Amino acid sequence: MSRHVIGVLVENQPGVLNRVSGLFSRRGFNIDSISVGVTERSDVSRMTLTLDGDEKVLEQLTKHLNKLPDVIKVTHLDAGCVERGLALVKVDVSSPESRSEVMQVADVFRGAVIDVSRDTVTVEVTGTEDKIQAMLDLLREHGIKEVARTGVAAMARGPKYTGTE
Amino acid sequence: MRNGCDVVLESFDAEGVDTVFGYPGGAIINLYDTLYDADLNHVLTRHEQAAAHAADGYARATGEVGVCLSTSGPGATNLVTGIATAHMDSVPILAVTGQVPTGMIGNDAFQEADVTGITMPITKHNYLVQDADELPGVMREAFFLANTGRPGPVVVDLPKDVQTAETDVEYPSVDDVKRGIRGYSPTYGGHPRQVKRAAEAISGADRPVVYAGGGVIASGASRELRRLAEITGAPVTTTLMGLGAFDERDPLSLGMLGMHGTKAANYAVTESDLLIAVGARFDDRVTGKLDAFAPNATVIHIDVDPAEISKNVEAHVPIVGDAGDVLGELNSTLEEMAVRDGSEWREKVKRWKREYPLDYEESDDVIKPQSVVEAINQHSPEDTVIATEVGQCQMWAAQFFDYTKPRSLVSSGGLGTMGYGFPAAIGAQVGRPGATVWDVAGDGSLQMNIQELATVALNDIPVKVAILNNGYLGMVRQWQELFFGERYSSTDLDQVPDFARVAESYGVKGVTVERPSEVEDAVREALEHDGPVVLDFRVAREENVFPMVPAGAAINEILEG
Ligand SMILES: Cc1ncc(C[n+]2csc(CCOP(=O)(O)OP(=O)(O)O)c2C)c(N)n1
Ligand SMILES: [Mg+2]
């Protein structure tokens, strides 16, 4: 079992996310995260999936994705891709020293404080899943009230183009 | 300018569709109104499920896309079993369903159902058409997808307002459509290196077996399969879906393999050192216990669907491609090579065939169900299609009829849908008016779509229904006898109703056959009768299907009667 990042280019059409996620549940694939957004071409969307699985699972998943007429291209991005996810974390800072400590943690992770109230601070952080997880682990000590996380967006490093043309 | 309904009919015309099966309702009434003047044969079934199965039977018997129509909501949900049946067996059908107007979708409007949502997992693709301008492209694409690559069902859900909206968008060319679905490009030719590897494996094999499935029939690859057997001398076994892909009267034929397959086929596969799987998907009813399936064999797997390869059994030589194309390439390669003699292996296989023919104990007192299928086999003309229901009747139809040509068996393999056979026989008969079409039925299954007697009567569709009437849900009863201590929970149907009288009340000739001596005459008379017939054979109630490999056992662990 190892972690995989897969880029899936799909037709930017209603119902596509449904087809892809329906495939996962029907065939019993466990996906850790999924993100979707339009690409440099308005008629094409990119989905980025992350999952844990062995080669056999990865192969079946890829084949089944390719069978969907709305799927244009499937790329394994594992080796040498850049990937970023985003998390918004609302932290409890009602105890006196918390506020500055939370600010410090945010700083170390190059996070940004995007909202404050009397008892809370909301931090935004982007990075790999590991980095985000590491920051969450540290903030947990202060009492996390709420987390909103995206899946990751990823692409190949260097000049390699994984788009549609 | 023409409206959505006109576009649908235009697409039928362009795709060579001359017959559709269906059932009207409020959300499809506009299309039916257009049909009223159209030069198109519409067969009104008495249930939408039957329309879907008829389209499926039509497709299996002819190789063309079968088309069915229904209204929204309950009409469309009634199609679902038929669509799933076609999906499991890779049958090209197109279902056009009415839908509530686009402005009402999502509001729980009268007879609204999320048809694209419901059918997503059981179709190759589906569409909810939102705009009449999309419709020409959608219809073209739908037909194209249904019958290319690995065939399968496609649903076009057509809101009422789209049916009546005008469009001047032209019906596109295939090339336009291909450009539109850039993510879809099935592989037909095999990869030359893989073909060469396969040929090398074959030429070095001592005990090769060909395992052919429905893909051979879908691809029209029987000639290439026959040639492969000639070149290599390898015996050929087929799945239920593959019956007819290889002439069962050929000395190299092993018949069907798997749970109710022949001993010769199951032994040969188990002992083989090379298995050539073509258009087959290693279904659990075929393989039994996976680790014990062809344990010593190198596996060559040829399939048009890459996702089938190494799904259940690891393929040593995978070849993605169309069965006919790949076998053609393989044969040409093999023709240049020396293959091993293999006569010792062929002798061994022949011995198994001689020693373990499909057999049953005959009787003078009570009709044996197998003897009915044998009589059908003996007296039916060359051009015969056997449709089946599901259960013991299906297995006897598979075992005791000699399938010699592709598209001669129409049977629900993957889903095992009771109630399939009769409407599928109707579809097959409509598609092949010159053929003799039987439905080998069970008393349980037939009652699931018995209302179609009206369809055959009113349209004079001369299907012959042979009910192997054991008064039981026989196949379930067999499992209860063998594995549940003869606790016959809810399987006794008690020979009700009187099928001959039911048939007569619909205006169909009905005959009850009770004695073994009457079987052959009844079959002959049915064949001579011009119209549809129902033959109610009162057969031995507790006859079992053998040989049998219990579910999950190795396929050489075979139970006998
Ligand atoms: C729609 C549906 N419901 C239930 C089953 C489970 N099932 C498989 S075979 C069978 C018995 C079929 O009885 P009958 O049609 O009389 O055929 P027989 O086995 O007696 O020949 C049943 C209930 C099924 N295959 N399909
Ligand atoms: Mg029965």
Side-chain angles (χ1 to χ4, degrees):
Chain A
M1 295 273 275
S2 53
R3 179 174 175 273
H4 303 280
V5 182
I6 300 172
V8 189
L9 293 170
V10 299
E11 301 288 349
N12 183 10
Q13 268 172 18
V16 176
L17 181 59
N18 222 345
R19 288 181 201 282
V20 172
S21 60
L23 170 70
F24 297 154
S25 61
R26 179 159 92 255
R27 298 272 174 191
F29 296 119
N30 282 316
I31 302 299
D32 292 329
S33 80
I34 184 166
S35 73
V36 200
V38 72
T39 62
E40 69 279 5
R41 299 185 44 156
S42 61
D43 58 338
V44 177
S45 294
R46 178 190 290 274
M47 294 187 185
T48 308
L49 318 173
T50 64
L51 72 148
D52 265 320
D54 57 22
E55 285 305 314
K56 190 169 173 197
V57 168
L58 189 67
E59 186 184 320
Q60 277 293 314
L61 177 83
T62 307
K63 286 172 169 176
H64 280 292
L65 281 169
N66 274 316
K67 270 177 77 169
L68 296 175
D70 284 341
V71 167
I72 303 166
K73 190 171 171 184
V74 181
T75 315
H76 294 179
L77 289 165
D78 308 19
C81 70
V82 284
E83 58 169 280
R84 291 291 181 272
L86 177 137
L88 305 181
V89 196
K90 190 175 288 183
V91 195
D92 184 349
V93 290
S94 46
S95 67
E97 66 283 17
S98 270
R99 183 175 295 265
S100 63
E101 281 177 25
V102 167
M103 302 274 213
Q104 245 170 23
V105 170
D107 221 31
V108 170
F109 285 89
R110 294 178 201 277
V113 172
I114 55 171
D115 186 46
V116 289
S117 70
R118 204 171 56 102
D119 291 336
T120 63
V121 166
T122 301
V123 181
E124 169 205 309
V125 64
T126 60
T128 62
E129 289 185 331
D130 284 350
K131 174 183 162 186
I132 292 172
Q133 195 55 51
M135 191 185 86
L136 288 174
D137 290 343
L138 282 177
L139 291 180
R140 189 152 290 127
E141 292 167 21
H142 297 277
I144 292 175
K145 290 175 86 79
E146 206 173 335
V147 175
R149 270 181 90 161
T150 65
V152 303
M155 60 173 68
R157 276 185 198 279
K160 189 173 167 213
Y161 180 67
T162 55
T164 43
E165 235 128 271
Chain B
M1 285 292 232
R2 75 283 199 226
N3 70 14
C5 298
D6 299 322
V7 172
V8 172
L9 289 197
E10 191 180 319
S11 78
F12 291 168
D13 192 43
E15 306 293 341
V17 175
D18 55 17
T19 301
V20 300
F21 305 87
Y23 207 97
I28 195 86
I29 195 165
N30 303 83
L31 184 59
Y32 270 84
D33 188 59
T34 311
L35 274 178
Y36 197 63
D37 311 308
D39 183 20
L40 186 79
N41 180 24
H42 176 269
V43 178
L44 174 69
T45 56
R46 292 307 187 268
H47 189 303
E48 289 89 353
Q49 184 188 350
H53 290 326
D56 170 314
Y58 179 96
R60 293 193 208 219
T62 65
E64 308 290 325
V65 178
V67 177
C68 56
L69 312 176
S70 81
T71 192
S72 64
T77 55
N78 272 349
L79 292 178
V80 166
T81 300
I83 296 168
T85 302
H87 187 246
M88 286 293 272
D89 290 342
S90 308
V91 179
I93 66 169
L94 173 67
V96 178
T97 51
Q99 180 56 282
V100 303
T102 46
M104 294 169 85
I105 289 177
N107 290 346
D108 303 318
F110 178 62
Q111 296 195 326
E112 179 183 359
D114 174 8
V115 171
T116 40
I118 290 169
T119 60
M120 199 172 281
I122 53 166
T123 49
K124 184 167 173 184
H125 200 51
N126 63 19
Y127 303 86
L128 170 60
V129 187
Q130 309 260 19
D131 183 338
D133 286 345
E134 293 169 11
L135 189 56
V138 164
M139 292 305 292
R140 190 76 173 96
E141 208 174 282
F143 276 102
F144 179 72
L145 285 174
N147 213 10
T148 54
R150 180 180 184 168
V154 177
V155 169
V156 175
D157 199 24
L158 206 54
K160 209 170 150 72
D161 54 325
V162 179
Q163 293 172 40
T164 53
E166 307 253 299
T167 175
D168 51 13
V169 174
E170 279 179 31
Y171 197 63
S173 69
V174 183
D175 286 336
D176 288 340
V177 163
K178 283 187 187 157
R179 263 193 301 280
I181 28 177
R182 49 194 152 172
Y184 177 79
S185 58
T187 306
Y188 293 109
H191 193 292
R193 198 182 58 231
Q194 292 301 88
V195 172
K196 185 145 179 294
R197 281 183 57 206
E200 280 160 5
I202 292 168
S203 77
D206 290 316
R207 300 182 306 281
V209 172
V210 180
Y211 151 45
V216 174
I217 292 172
S219 138
S222 291
R223 226 190 35 225
E224 288 80 2
L225 178 62
R226 143 102 271 133
R227 182 79 191 118
L228 177 70
E230 274 166 18
I231 302 172
T232 60
V236 178
T237 179
T238 76
T239 64
L240 179 69
M241 292 294 93
L243 285 174
F246 191 74
D247 184 346
E248 291 201 288
R249 294 185 181 146
D250 190 292
L252 285 174
S253 170
L254 295 167
M256 184 171 78
L257 82 166
M259 182 174 275
H260 294 297
T262 66
K263 281 193 165 180
N266 288 346
Y267 288 160
V269 167
T270 305
E271 286 202 14
S272 67
D273 68 347
L274 179 79
L275 190 67
I276 310 167
V278 195
R281 59 182 176 84
F282 296 84
D283 180 76
D284 54 271
R285 284 293 185 267
V286 160
T287 62
K289 187 173 166 199
L290 271 177
D291 321 334
F293 183 72
N296 307 313
T298 299
V299 175
I300 299 170
H301 192 175
I302 302 166
D303 205 292
V304 75
D305 180 358
E308 283 304 340
I309 289 177
S310 298
K311 182 179 79 178
N312 294 337
V313 167
E314 177 74 17
H316 304 98
V317 187
I319 309 181
V320 177
D322 170 74
D325 291 355
V326 174
L327 288 182
E329 292 153 4
L330 188 57
N331 291 340
S332 319
T333 314
L334 282 167
E335 274 159 5
E336 313 283 298
M337 296 168 79
V339 294
R340 298 221 178 147
D341 169 40
S343 55
E344 211 177 301
W345 173 235
R346 274 196 301 284
E347 278 313 310
K348 188 164 193 185
V349 167
K350 252 190 224 151
R351 234 176 301 127
W352 281 325
K353 279 183 70 171
R354 247 194 333 268
E355 245 170 90
Y356 309 114
L358 288 168
D359 217 353
Y360 63 96
E361 216 174 288
E362 291 174 29
S363 164
D364 292 331
D365 309 323
V366 54
I367 299 174
K368 287 302 187 87
Q370 301 92 332
S371 73
V372 175
V373 179
E374 282 181 335
I376 291 172
N377 189 38
Q378 198 185 331
H379 297 291
S380 300
E382 262 291 289
D383 191 12
T384 291
V385 176
I386 303 290
T388 81
E389 301 292 348
V390 166
Q392 294 179 313
C393 51
Q394 177 182 34
M395 290 300 113
W396 287 318
Q399 292 178 332
F400 291 93
F401 189 92
D402 296 318
Y403 298 91
T404 60
K405 284 187 302 228
R407 306 198 181 281
S408 55
L409 175 66
V410 170
S411 191
S412 167
L415 203 66
T417 308
M418 288 173 68
Y420 168 81
F422 186 30
I426 292 173
Q429 184 75 79
V430 170
R432 301 231 320 247
T436 294
V437 180
W438 286 93
D439 173 31
V440 176
D443 46 311
S445 300
L446 185 65
Q447 291 185 70
M448 288 205 174
N449 271 316
I450 199 162
Q451 76 287 345
E452 298 310 314
L453 284 165
T455 310
V456 296
L458 290 171
N459 296 284
D460 200 21
I461 300 169
V463 166
K464 320 293 178 202
V465 180
I467 311 171
L468 309 182
N469 184 355
N470 51 16
Y472 274 119
L473 299 174
M475 185 57 92
V476 182
R477 190 208 58 77
Q478 175 169 343
W479 282 49
Q480 289 170 333
E481 178 186 331
L482 298 176
F483 311 121
F484 289 86
E486 301 183 17
R487 289 154 53 84
Y488 297 141
S489 177
S490 299
T491 44
D492 193 342
L493 303 181
D494 222 333
Q495 311 242 3
V496 164
D498 180 337
F499 286 103
R501 285 173 62 200
V502 172
E504 294 286 345
S505 80
Y506 275 100
V508 171
K509 183 180 161 79
V511 181
T512 308
V513 190
E514 285 173 307
R515 273 190 293 280
S517 57
E518 301 166 347
V519 168
E520 297 216 20
D521 282 346
V523 166
R524 265 198 302 261
E525 277 163 32
L527 285 166
E528 279 158 20
H529 180 69
D530 244 357
V533 187
V534 172
L535 300 176
D536 179 5
F537 293 96
R538 303 288 170 88
V539 300
R541 292 201 66 197
E542 304 203 346
E543 189 73 6
N544 287 333
V545 180
F546 289 116
M548 175 177 194
V549 178
I555 61 166
N556 61 346
E557 295 168 17
I558 302 171
L559 298 183
E560 298 258 25

